[in-house]
Amino acid sequence: MIPTVHKRGRNVRGLLAYLYGPGRHEEHRNPHIIAAWTGPQQIPWLEPTCGPTGRHDIGRLARLLNQPVNAAANPPELTVWHTSVRNHASDRPLTDQQWAHIAREIMNAVGLAPHGDPNAVRWAAIRHAEDHIHVVATLVRQDGKTAWGWNEKYKAQAAARRLERELGLHQVGPADHTAHRYPGAAEQNKTRRLGHRDVPRDRLRREVRTAAAASAGEAEFFDRLRNARILVRLRHSTIDGGDITGYSVGLPSHRTSTGDTIWYGGGRLSPDLTLPRLRHRWGRPTAGPEPRVGRGAAVLGSARDAIQSAGKHMTNVADASPDRAATVAVQCSDVLVTLARTIERGRVGPLTMLCDQFDHAARTDGRHRPAHSVAGGDLRSSARLIATLNHIDTTRDARLLLDLLQAMATFADTLANLRHAQRRLHQARSALSAAAALRAAATKLASQQPHQLPLPLTIDHPIATGARPPTIRAVRR
């Protein structure tokens, strides 16, 4: 269950008109109030009437919601609070009574309408689809005081986790700030309207992640971004102008209507792409000789060995310190990122697509910074060595590439076990998805060389199949 707290607004009537309207794609069906500040007995009286044309008269409901705002001596500038709550695709359909209970619990959790408070804000929960509801409130209490609603996003998420357990719904992982920022509807619509292939935020995140994985420090990092035709703007300290405290990136073709470049700070792309987090990731300069032209096989073999050693390191350290064990996953993600870029040459292919899943599974939360280790240093060296290759011959080096993909898939399984033990289930699922995608890529590679390569292996993972030891079987084409 995902509650989304939207930006605050001023026009409650306009919002109600949208919720009671047909929707942008005629997706709204039978809009009706399921819960409100007045209690269930008054809901039929609050429900907007529907005219012969099918339009609802939302004027009275809008006036009732706005009455405390209009009567307040000093109301806030933005008075409309709006959240939508959507359940998982695998969840059973919920009744209106169950959704009403969810709406009341969310309003209680965020502090806008605590249970038993007769002077709380006025609000209404509207359902116009099977899988979600909308809750609309005005931010002046009925006693005239402003309801500010601090940290309501996190409070709503915590309430959703409790409701998932209470109602037996799909359990989403807790909010730990490991997911990257996804493009919003406005960004996606603009991308389609302009006919661009990629959403700018997604493309910039891939470019920044690849440059960070292939670099030993920030000077090389910024040079790689500029060489990839990414605009870079540095943020300097207000105390010492010579110190760089952050950066923003943009695309030459991505501008506002007035022609200004649209900039994205590293933290707006992903929580681990801020400059302080990248500096910590780079740490000490990486060791390892630069390969000569034509040494792709040696680089792939070295990367395979480094990943296998990192997997053993993770297993050995997991019991004593799960957080320290997971730190090598970040460096393994660097290897996958540079491998995908070298093989697919900047195109958004299967390996590039699965990098997001693996990166999410590997990412540490904001409270922990990955500790440096020998295994992690070997992986960083391997990532940089792969980035120096101009091309990987998938025919000549098929055996080594297959071994590398299988080693990564095994590492992803080990990471999934670790995340499952940490109760970080959303990251465990991402690791399992990445492992499945890696094995699919290995299967495709093996099918292209049927007389030279054995069938790749797939694992029935305990997270997906129950608490039993992994079993191994061959994939049959």
Side-chain angles (χ1 to χ4, degrees):
M1 181 185 302
I2 302 295
T4 303
V5 178
H6 302 278
K7 291 182 178 180
R8 300 183 183 186
R10 300 181 178 89
N11 186 2
V12 70
R13 186 187 182 99
L15 177 57
L16 291 174
Y18 167 73
L19 297 178
Y20 272 91
R24 294 186 176 91
H25 305 288
E26 301 293 331
E27 72 274 22
H28 295 177
R29 296 287 186 269
N30 185 29
H32 58 283
I33 298 175
I34 57 170
W37 79 96
T38 57
Q41 296 81 9
Q42 300 297 322
I43 286 178
W45 179 73
L46 293 175
E47 188 68 63
T49 58
C50 184
T53 62
R55 297 185 61 183
H56 290 79
D57 182 7
I58 48 87
R60 183 177 63 173
L61 179 59
R63 288 192 296 274
L64 290 171
L65 288 170
N66 265 331
Q67 276 182 356
V69 176
N70 296 333
N74 187 25
E77 181 180 0
L78 301 177
T79 59
V80 181
W81 187 87
H82 172 213
T83 185
S84 55
V85 187
R86 184 180 299 272
N87 63 5
H88 193 266
S90 63
D91 286 335
R92 67 184 187 280
L94 301 180
T95 65
D96 281 356
Q97 291 74 23
Q98 289 171 322
W99 276 119
H101 173 64
I102 290 171
R104 287 191 291 268
E105 292 300 316
I106 293 290
M107 292 301 291
N108 173 69
V110 300
L112 295 179
H115 294 323
D117 185 352
N119 293 319
V121 302
R122 292 189 174 185
W123 61 276
I126 299 163
R127 184 180 187 183
H128 57 203
E130 188 175 72
D131 62 347
H132 72 277
I133 61 171
H134 294 261
V135 184
V136 181
T138 48
L139 292 175
V140 176
R141 290 167 49 87
Q142 295 181 80
D143 57 10
K145 298 178 181 178
T146 297
W148 297 107
W150 301 110
N151 292 324
E152 65 266 42
K153 293 183 180 180
Y154 303 114
K155 294 175 182 177
Q157 292 286 348
R161 304 294 82 79
R162 294 193 300 270
L163 289 164
E164 288 164 356
R165 294 190 295 270
E166 176 186 336
L167 298 173
L169 303 177
H170 175 86
Q171 294 189 28
V172 179
D176 58 5
H177 312 290
T178 59
H180 60 248
R181 294 279 295 273
Y182 290 91
E187 295 175 79
Q188 298 180 48
N189 291 336
K190 182 176 182 179
T191 301
R192 287 193 293 267
R193 187 171 65 251
L194 297 178
H196 293 166
R197 183 181 61 180
D198 296 329
V199 177
R201 186 191 297 270
D202 289 341
R203 181 186 168 190
L204 287 169
R205 186 177 60 254
R206 288 195 299 267
E207 295 292 346
V208 171
R209 183 189 293 152
T210 303
S215 301
E218 58 189 278
E220 183 182 357
F221 169 65
F222 292 131
D223 287 342
R224 285 183 177 274
L225 287 177
R226 295 185 181 101
N227 291 337
R229 299 181 181 178
I230 302 298
L231 303 178
V232 178
R233 183 175 66 181
L234 303 181
R235 183 173 68 249
H236 293 269
S237 170
T238 57
I239 299 175
D240 183 354
D243 290 342
I244 299 174
T245 59
Y247 71 98
S248 300
V249 291
L251 296 173
S253 60
H254 189 45
R255 298 178 177 273
T256 65
S257 58
T258 58
D260 297 327
T261 300
I262 298 177
W263 297 99
Y264 294 84
R268 291 182 61 196
L269 302 176
S270 182
D272 59 341
L273 294 182
T274 62
L275 190 56
R277 295 288 293 272
L278 289 178
R279 283 170 172 165
H280 179 81
R281 181 194 293 196
W282 292 319
R284 298 183 287 270
T286 55
E290 297 292 330
R292 297 189 301 271
V293 176
R295 296 297 300 276
V299 173
L300 293 178
S302 175
R304 175 203 59 203
D305 296 341
I307 290 172
Q308 290 173 344
S309 298
K312 294 177 182 177
H313 169 82
M314 180 184 292
T315 302
N316 295 335
V317 179
D319 290 338
S321 177
D323 290 328
R324 190 162 65 92
T327 55
V328 293
V330 176
Q331 286 84 19
C332 188
S333 178
D334 288 346
V335 175
L336 182 57
V337 165
T338 55
L339 180 68
R341 175 55 60 93
T342 305
I343 292 178
E344 296 174 346
R345 299 185 178 184
R347 298 187 302 272
V348 184
L351 286 178
T352 300
M353 293 296 291
L354 72 87
C355 284
D356 274 344
Q357 296 173 325
F358 195 99
D359 189 59
H360 175 237
R363 189 175 296 138
T364 59
D365 61 32
R367 298 170 300 171
H368 300 96
R369 293 202 170 186
H372 298 288
S373 63
V374 175
D378 291 342
L379 289 170
R380 288 279 302 136
S381 296
S382 296
R384 294 197 63 225
L385 291 171
I386 291 174
T388 62
L389 300 177
N390 293 324
H391 174 61
I392 294 178
D393 191 331
T394 56
T395 300
R396 184 188 62 195
D397 299 328
R399 171 72 268 177
L400 286 168
L401 184 56
L402 180 63
D403 288 346
L404 178 55
L405 292 176
Q406 289 180 334
M408 284 187 173
T410 302
F411 184 94
D413 282 320
T414 305
L415 179 59
N417 277 330
L418 178 63
R419 294 306 190 200
H420 189 256
Q422 294 174 304
R423 303 301 300 166
R424 294 164 71 166
L425 301 184
H426 57 319
Q427 288 189 289
R429 295 187 191 106
S430 293
L432 286 177
S433 297
L438 285 163
R439 289 194 172 88
T443 300
K444 182 177 180 180
L445 178 64
S447 67
Q448 297 170 355
Q449 326 286 338
H451 302 296
Q452 303 175 30
L453 302 178
L455 289 172
L457 299 177
T458 184
I459 293 181
D460 287 333
H461 202 278
I463 297 176
T465 60
R468 57 181 175 82
T471 56
I472 299 177
R473 68 176 188 272
V475 175
R476 298 297 174 189
R477 293 187 298 272

